[in-house]
Amino acid sequence: MAGFGPLAMAVFMSAIAFHSSIVDAKFSKSMYFNWGAHHSSILGNGDELRLVLDQTSGSGVQSKRAFLFGSIEMLIKLVPGNSAGTVTAYYLSSTGANHDEIDFEFLGNSTGEPYTVHTNIYTQGQGNKEQQFQLWFDPTADFHNYTIHWNPTEIVWYVDSLPIRVFRNYENEGIAYPNQQGMRVYSSLWNADNWATRGGLVKIDWTAAPFVANYRRFRARACKWDGPVSVSRCGSPTPANWFTSPAYKQLTMSQQGQLKWARDNHMIYNYCTDYKRFNGQMPPECSKTQY
């Protein structure tokens, strides 16, 4: 390309690689209802989704494609009012007994009480890595961005571009990490009043039904899973795999400050400090640096 200097060429090639990894992820093209389709809907030009929970059932969607590494984001406006007992789930998951999974779950609450964000990660079918936060804004008043960034080095959970949790890859120290299975994107709205609000003490008030969660702009800037060959293809540090660049190997100093703020001020449960639960035998990742 005549006239392109080295820097311009690098920027151009980076832009091409970045674009090639963006999945055209409108709900209408990239997802389908896996339950509750009778009372939920994809709206507008296919870029909006409405999930409903009533006494007949909840509802859910899943992506047609699976991915291995990348950035998955969604704008969500959570169930307003008395949402106690409801859970709005947004997560990545493979299938089978030894599945991998990366979770955002939003636990409803009584009117005026803050929403709880429940995060978890499963590797080879093993979970028990829960961390919970209370949001510092009203997630029912407007749409907010919830992003899962997943690469060979680390997983980061973001709320409006602010990191709230990191799980780094310490596989070389015997700690399992999800890097061998493609995962689809799922979201659902369902009745979990046996555990969701105050440990199940507060039940769903069905007189407030239907409960509605609204979604916009599902985007998957991710490597498409095409079977086991994708393990090396998606994990290799190539320009197409933008998420493997050094910039994404750990949080910046500014992001580390944001992470500390979120955890110091808004974390309400951390499995890594629940000594009674684990009888003092804490999971090995709990002693590792996570940023």
Side-chain angles (χ1 to χ4, degrees), residues 4-18:
F4 275 64
L7 179 58
M9 177 65 81
V11 171
F12 177 80
M13 293 305 293
S14 175
I16 291 295
F18 181 82

Side-chain angles (χ1 to χ4, degrees), residues 129 167-177 284-285 288:
K129 296 175 172 58
F167 186 88
R168 292 188 64 81
N169 184 349
Y170 288 104
E171 197 172 39
N172 61 351
E173 299 183 40
I175 299 168
Y177 187 81
E285 68 271 12
K288 304 297 181 184

Side-chain angles (χ1 to χ4, degrees), residues 236-258:
S236 300
T238 63
N241 294 338
W242 59 273
F243 43 81
T244 63
S245 72
Y248 298 103
K249 288 189 179 299
Q250 69 176 48
L251 300 184
T252 65
M253 292 301 293
S254 174
Q255 288 174 322
Q256 290 177 42
Q258 293 174 330

Side-chain angles (χ1 to χ4, degrees), residues 40-55:
S40 296
S41 52
I42 293 173
L43 306 169
N45 63 356
D47 207 22
E48 298 183 18
L49 170 70
R50 182 176 185 261
L51 294 183
V52 175
L53 166 67
D54 61 23
Q55 283 183 289

Side-chain angles (χ1 to χ4, degrees), residues 125-138:
Q126 300 298 313
N128 299 322
K129 296 175 172 58
E130 302 90 347
Q131 293 182 356
Q132 294 184 340
F133 305 80
Q134 286 188 334
L135 290 171
W136 49 94
F137 54 85
D138 180 358

